[in-house]
Amino acid sequence: MLQPKDTNPFDTVDEHAQGLAFAEKKRAIEQRTLDSTNKSLGLLYEAQEIGNSTAVELGKQREQLDKATAQLDEMNSTLRINKSQINNLKSVFGCVKNFLSGDKNKALTAANKSSRGVNSSTDNERSSTSAPLPSTEGYNNHQVSQLREDPNSTYHPQRQEANAFQVQIDANLEEIGSNLSVLKMLAKELGGEIESQNELLDNLSNKIEDVDLQVHKQNQDLTKLLKK
């Protein structure tokens, strides 16, 4: 004869308590996972904000460098005109010296040639300085500027409301991937702009040295000319 199996009511209670503890632990893990993805998104938004601010500053710096380059080019053109006029002044002073020394006809002929040279060289140099200053249209069309002004950029992410953990985590991961792609492209464009401006700075430095040498040389020439 089979004996009835003894049942302990406490076993059922323990299983139920274990189930509740497992569910609570699962919810805690899911919440930590969501918090982690949300924190990652926050860091990505902050990185994009820094990148956009850098793009704005690089745009302003580009404009200043373009203006400085244009001004140096204009100074170089003016110095070339001055050099030509100084050379012609030397010829005029030589003619005056010859005139005072008695060779009048030779002095008048040289003076007429010098005068024609001054007018011709001045007209040529002025025509070469009539080029317009560079505009900032190049920078406005630059990919960095287009990126930071693009209204479709994922910099302003759309918050998706979802109740299911899997739906929310999938949405967060997809958004993280999209923002990483944008951030990578932004970093690449900023790097290219910085390299371009470094080359522009080197060219600017060379032009400054050239202008300084020309100014020093012309000051010496004028000083010698006035002492004669």
Side-chain angles (χ1 to χ4, degrees), residues 113-125:
K113 291 181 179 180
S114 176
S115 177
R116 288 195 297 270
V118 171
N119 294 332
S120 176
S121 62
T122 301
D123 292 340
N124 291 335
E125 292 293 343

Side-chain angles (χ1 to χ4, degrees), residues 109-186:
T109 302
N112 290 332
K113 291 181 179 180
S114 176
S115 177
R116 288 195 297 270
V118 171
N119 294 332
S120 176
S121 62
T122 301
D123 292 340
N124 291 335
E125 292 293 343
R126 285 177 178 173
S127 64
S128 66
T129 61
S130 60
L133 297 178
S135 66
T136 59
E137 181 179 357
Y139 175 76
N140 293 333
N141 293 328
H142 197 277
Q143 294 182 4
V144 173
S145 299
Q146 294 174 358
L147 181 62
R148 63 183 171 84
E149 295 174 358
D150 186 5
N152 296 322
S153 172
T154 56
Y155 171 66
H156 300 290
Q158 297 180 349
R159 301 289 184 181
Q160 299 183 5
E161 296 182 0
N163 296 324
F165 165 76
Q166 191 61 45
V167 173
Q168 184 64 52
I169 199 69
D170 288 344
N172 284 358
L173 291 175
E174 183 178 357
E175 196 168 358
I176 287 174
S178 178
N179 279 273
L180 282 174
S181 298
V182 172
L183 193 60
K184 180 180 178 180
M185 182 169 58
L186 178 60

Side-chain angles (χ1 to χ4, degrees), residues 76-88:
N76 273 319
S77 298
T78 303
L79 287 171
R80 285 195 294 269
I81 295 175
N82 292 343
K83 182 180 179 181
S84 177
Q85 291 176 343
I86 289 174
N87 291 334
N88 288 317

Side-chain angles (χ1 to χ4, degrees), residues 76 92-93 103 155 210:
N76 273 319
V92 171
F93 272 85
D103 195 355
Y155 171 66
D210 184 53

Side-chain angles (χ1 to χ4, degrees), residues 184-204:
K184 180 180 178 180
M185 182 169 58
L186 178 60
K188 183 178 179 180
E189 296 300 330
L190 289 177
E193 178 66 15
I194 290 172
E195 290 181 1
S196 175
Q197 292 194 19
N198 284 337
E199 294 178 358
L200 189 58
L201 283 170
D202 292 338
N203 188 33
L204 197 63

